[in-house]
Amino acid sequence: MSPRPPRRDYWNEPTLGWWERAYIFEIIRGLLTTNRVFWRNMGRWMTGRKGAVTSYYPEERRPDYARGNRGKHVLTQRPDGRPQCIACNMCATVCPAHCIEIEAGFDIEDTTHPKYPEAFAIDYARCIFCGFCVEACPEDAIRMVPDVPNLPGSDRHNMWLDKEHLMTWNPQQDVAKPYPPKGGLQK
Amino acid sequence: MPGIVIDGRELEAEGGQTVMQVALAHDIPIPAFCWHPALSIAGNCRVCMVEVEGRGLALACNLPIYDGLKVHTDTEAVRNQRKLTLQFLTLNHPVDCGICDKAGECLLQDYHYAHNGSPSTSIDPKVHATKHYSLGSRIVLDNERCILCSRCVRFTREVSGSNVLGIKHRGDTSLVRPAEGRSLDDDPYSDNVIDICPVGALLSRAFLHQSRVWYLTTTPSVCPGCARGCTIDVWHRKPEWRLQAVATHRNHTIARVTPHENPAVNGPWICNKGRDLAALVERPRALEPMVKGEVVAMDQALEAARQAIAGAQRPLALVSSWGSNEELDAFKEHLAPRFSCAVKEDHRQQPNEPGDDHLLLRADKNPNTTRARALFGETPAAVPEGTDLVLVWGEGFDFDTIPDGVATIVLGAFDAPENGLAAVFVPLSIHTERAGHFTNFEGVVSAFAPCFPPPATVADAETVFPQLAPQGATS
């Protein structure tokens, strides 16, 4: 075993006076703080108001996400509800975390979009939310919205969102960037 | 021997060569779409223009060298000409690289970035042509992407000899089409046109949208489909692009097979059977060692086999013609003294399969018959009278020819009903899971390397044979 490193002095090293060293008084002060907050929240809760600033995640989302928050991916849809994605794998290729996986399908009947994603999955355990996928997409098929992936869990290998989850976004709600765009979709 | 100067370098060349051939031999890059080293000169893409001192621009692919010829490949005039040519070639190209399987290994893409770089200056709408035109069960043609270089047409005329493809109509309505009543299915070498197509016009149905090529890497291998033993590149997924959630079978399956250029064996071509290597090796596997149908550990199976061999009076061994040189040598060294040996044909020519032909295909559908016959003689595979043990290595043996009551030891890689009936069954690794060499029918030895790790429960034949030898017999 290597010897323990010498103890370092920190700039915010607490210094204890005789009052703190007496221990019992500071403990009582701390417990009073805990009690005060507890009874205040209990009182509010019993009178039907919400206590503290706790969000009941995941049942409840915080309403105060920043406007620039980009916490979740969405796949845009063509007017008929199929994904705009053409499975070109640009997002998967550019992704620095290698967390996007796409399985391409081929539909010879669909002459304008014969290649489509049969499966599309993003691993939120590895995603670093850099937004490169959005930049790389030639079809405006993947975007990021102020939301969270909503994946509470204890298994890091099970943090994948599949195509069905990524296509639940209702594009009409995004007024700043409507979809389909105002000029119509380019052929 | 004429002397020729390219870009100020004095180069030695042979009479009859063209500027393109001399430049290629000295690693001087000249772009070319229609020119291919194994095909005749068409001179229709016009992208290989070079400047000849005193003569102006000329086609490098079609210009025979002569004494005192001075060529420049990178002057202002040449660069401008290349740019204009590429503008012209992309005039009606749909530029749908995002959904094109050729993207990443496309000459048009590469040359566009190297020599053009600017978007189309044309204001006319693009001419639309047929997408996904079927050229048989293996290939689809996208006429919009085609730049009419005619490589595929010349391939079917000059190399495969099937004369299936041609170009019909004129100008920007020209289309590559099969001849009346013909299909590329008639051509056992048809898939080579996919490789030589400089753009994504000819696409393999088997590989269509299966993977982007930059996710794949190659392992040099040898095709076991016939006695020719063509050197091939087996394409499989790069480890850093291993899939975790979607289509994970792609991590350990062959994505595609392309020829590995080898003048001694196959030149730049392989046949369609070689492309379908996955169908040959990705069959249901036999993974568990068995003694009389009961699954046991590998040690127990080998011990049971060793005892059976040691106790047999007149054992017969049927040697696989799919074994590598190393495995056959190991068999010769450790087991051949104990057995009377015969070489077995693991795969036979199917009724609909072509036999010997003018290009590559051989009627013998086993990769290493030459080496096996050299070691174990020409003995035909028939069970002689009085045999009390038969060791069958590989497939293709008709177990009905064994008399009742004769014990069998089976060493094989694939699932078969006989495996469970054998006294001992030992599962082996397959050709894409081990390294080795095959000797082809002309005696040329080619090496293959493992593409995938073998399953944990199977063994390499090369390590099994020393363990089967009776104790003290060989050591």
Side-chain angles (χ1 to χ4, degrees):
Chain A
M1 255 181 79
S2 55
R4 284 182 65 182
R7 191 186 155 84
R8 290 175 59 188
D9 289 328
Y10 289 95
W11 62 272
N12 57 352
E13 191 79 39
T15 49
L16 303 181
W18 66 270
W19 181 258
E20 286 88 0
R21 282 170 204 273
Y23 189 74
I24 186 74
F25 306 112
E26 284 295 295
I27 286 293
I28 291 169
R29 196 162 73 91
L31 285 172
L32 284 174
T33 304
T34 310
N35 269 274
R36 191 173 68 243
V37 173
F38 173 76
W39 288 113
R40 189 185 68 198
N41 284 339
M42 179 67 89
R44 286 181 184 175
W45 183 75
M46 288 177 75
T47 52
R49 290 172 296 166
K50 197 178 157 196
V53 287
T54 310
S55 291
Y56 296 103
Y57 182 83
E59 291 82 15
E60 186 182 290
R61 309 284 176 81
R62 287 180 61 160
D64 56 344
Y65 279 134
R67 275 179 55 220
N69 181 300
R70 294 288 176 263
K72 193 197 169 201
H73 302 83
V74 290
L75 291 178
T76 60
Q77 299 166 23
R78 284 185 252 152
D80 61 1
R82 281 179 296 174
Q84 176 76 11
C85 173
I86 56 165
C88 70
N89 275 275
M90 290 299 127
C91 51
T93 303
V94 79
C95 178
H98 287 199
C99 71
I100 304 180
E101 291 182 5
I102 303 169
E103 171 75 357
F106 178 64
D107 180 8
I108 198 165
E109 303 298 325
D110 188 355
T111 45
T112 48
H113 293 91
K115 193 177 178 185
Y116 66 95
E118 195 133 299
F120 193 113
I122 299 180
D123 184 2
Y124 281 95
R126 286 185 290 153
C127 176
I128 57 167
F129 303 97
C130 64
F132 281 8
C133 48
V134 183
E135 295 281 318
C137 183
E139 293 284 319
D140 192 15
I142 188 167
R143 293 187 189 175
M144 293 179 88
V145 290
D147 198 350
V148 284
N150 201 8
L151 283 166
S154 55
D155 180 8
R156 72 166 80 164
H157 300 292
N158 203 14
M159 295 275 177
W160 294 85
L161 277 195
D162 59 13
K163 193 172 89 177
E164 283 63 41
H165 284 97
L166 294 169
M167 283 182 61
T168 49
W169 180 57
N170 183 357
Q172 275 71 34
Q173 288 178 351
D174 193 343
V175 187
K177 207 176 172 192
Y179 189 88
K182 270 182 189 161
L185 288 171
Q186 278 192 333
K187 278 201 84 177
Chain B
M1 191 174 285
I4 159 175
V5 181
I6 301 181
D7 292 344
R9 284 170 63 189
E10 284 193 35
L11 305 173
E12 285 298 310
E14 291 164 31
Q17 279 190 303
T18 60
V19 172
M20 178 71 91
Q21 285 169 323
V22 177
L24 188 74
H26 294 90
D27 290 332
I28 299 168
I30 298 179
F33 290 115
C34 69
W35 183 81
H36 187 277
L39 300 174
S40 64
I41 297 164
N44 62 26
C45 74
R46 320 305 281 184
V47 83
C48 66
M49 286 279 191
V50 290
E51 193 169 354
V52 180
E53 261 185 41
R55 276 181 58 182
L57 294 172
L59 287 182
C61 70
N62 206 8
L63 180 66
I65 53 163
Y66 51 85
D67 220 3
L69 176 65
K70 285 189 178 152
V71 173
H72 297 279
T73 66
D74 200 23
T75 63
E76 190 56 43
V78 171
R79 280 196 295 269
N80 191 41
Q81 181 64 36
R82 280 180 191 161
K83 186 167 176 140
L84 292 174
T85 306
L86 282 162
Q87 279 283 336
F88 176 70
L89 287 173
T90 49
L91 206 56
N92 292 321
H93 192 86
V95 203
D96 53 352
C97 308
I99 59 165
C100 179
D101 281 344
K102 199 80 174 186
E105 52 181 17
C106 172
L107 282 184
L108 189 62
Q109 214 178 27
D110 294 349
Y111 292 162
H112 172 80
Y113 285 112
H115 304 300
N116 181 5
S118 45
S120 177
T121 52
S122 166
I123 53 165
D124 295 317
K126 298 202 178 219
V127 173
H128 291 287
T130 333
K131 307 279 279 186
H132 312 123
Y133 182 87
S134 172
L135 287 178
S137 60
R138 305 181 60 87
I139 298 174
V140 280
L141 168 64
D142 188 325
N143 282 107
E144 283 187 353
R145 293 179 192 153
C146 177
I147 58 166
L148 297 166
C149 71
S150 79
R151 273 188 187 188
C152 52
V153 176
R154 280 174 286 144
F155 174 83
T156 60
R157 287 188 187 165
E158 295 160 15
V159 181
S160 74
S162 63
N163 292 304
V164 170
L165 293 178
I167 294 177
K168 71 174 186 182
H169 302 323
R170 295 235 169 155
D172 58 10
T173 54
S174 302
L175 297 169
V176 172
R177 282 288 179 268
E180 194 93 353
R182 299 289 304 280
S183 152
L184 268 184
D185 287 346
D186 304 342
D187 189 340
Y189 299 97
S190 64
D191 279 20
N192 287 302
V193 300
I194 300 164
D195 291 341
I196 60 174
C197 183
V199 294
L202 291 157
L203 300 166
S204 163
R205 279 184 199 266
F207 188 61
L208 192 67
H209 303 333
Q210 296 298 297
S211 174
R212 304 315 304 254
V213 290
W214 53 87
Y215 293 151
L216 305 177
T217 185
T218 60
T219 300
S221 189
V222 181
C223 174
C226 80
R228 175 75 60 175
C230 298
T231 45
I232 52 175
D233 280 325
V234 178
W235 293 71
H236 49 94
R237 206 151 171 111
K238 283 179 186 165
E240 63 264 38
W241 288 108
R242 215 170 60 83
L243 291 162
Q244 295 187 25
V246 165
T248 47
H249 67 275
R250 298 201 186 285
N251 296 332
H252 47 82
T253 51
I254 297 171
R256 66 169 174 180
V257 174
T258 56
H260 188 100
E261 188 159 351
N262 183 354
V265 182
N266 53 318
W269 320 118
I270 57 168
C271 72
N272 290 351
K273 188 182 180 185
R275 312 257 173 187
D276 297 338
L277 183 68
L280 214 54
V281 298
E282 285 168 7
R283 287 178 283 154
R285 290 286 295 278
L287 295 172
E288 304 290 347
M290 287 186 284
V291 171
K292 294 193 178 72
E294 299 281 318
V295 174
V296 295
M298 182 61 86
D299 295 346
Q300 290 169 278
L302 291 177
E303 180 59 37
R306 184 160 55 231
Q307 281 172 8
I309 292 169
Q313 298 300 313
R314 290 188 62 188
L316 169 73
L318 298 169
V319 181
S320 171
S321 46
W322 276 56
S324 67
N325 289 354
E326 291 78 3
E327 290 165 357
L328 291 167
D329 289 345
F331 193 91
K332 180 82 179 165
E333 184 188 342
H334 297 288
L335 290 179
R338 244 341 244 120
F339 287 90
S340 61
C341 299
V343 177
K344 171 172 59 64
E345 250 193 307
D346 284 36
H347 283 232
R348 288 185 186 79
Q349 187 183 350
Q350 301 299 312
N352 56 354
E353 230 178 338
D356 296 349
D357 72 356
H358 67 286
L359 195 54
L360 298 174
L361 283 165
R362 305 294 302 169
D364 177 9
K365 299 298 176 192
N366 303 294
N368 214 2
T369 318
T370 312
R371 181 73 181 162
R373 291 249 165 88
L375 288 177
F376 303 108
E378 295 274 346
T379 338
V383 182
E385 283 293 305
T387 303
D388 57 352
L389 176 72
V390 183
L391 183 146
V392 182
W393 169 22
E395 351 164 55
F397 177 65
D398 183 8
F399 282 81
D400 294 340
T401 58
I402 303 179
D404 286 344
V406 176
T408 54
I409 298 174
V410 177
L411 295 90
F414 298 105
D415 200 18
E418 288 84 10
N419 298 348
L421 302 175
V424 183
F425 172 75
V426 179
L428 298 180
S429 57
I430 55 172
H431 147 257
T432 51
E433 294 167 355
R434 55 190 158 90
H437 294 79
F438 284 142
T439 307
N440 85 342
F441 76 107
E442 285 166 323
V444 182
V445 178
S446 311
F448 55 89
C451 311
F452 310 107
T457 49
V458 308
D460 284 339
E462 202 182 331
T463 59
V464 164
F465 296 144
Q467 298 181 60
L468 290 186
Q471 301 287 341
T474 52
S475 54

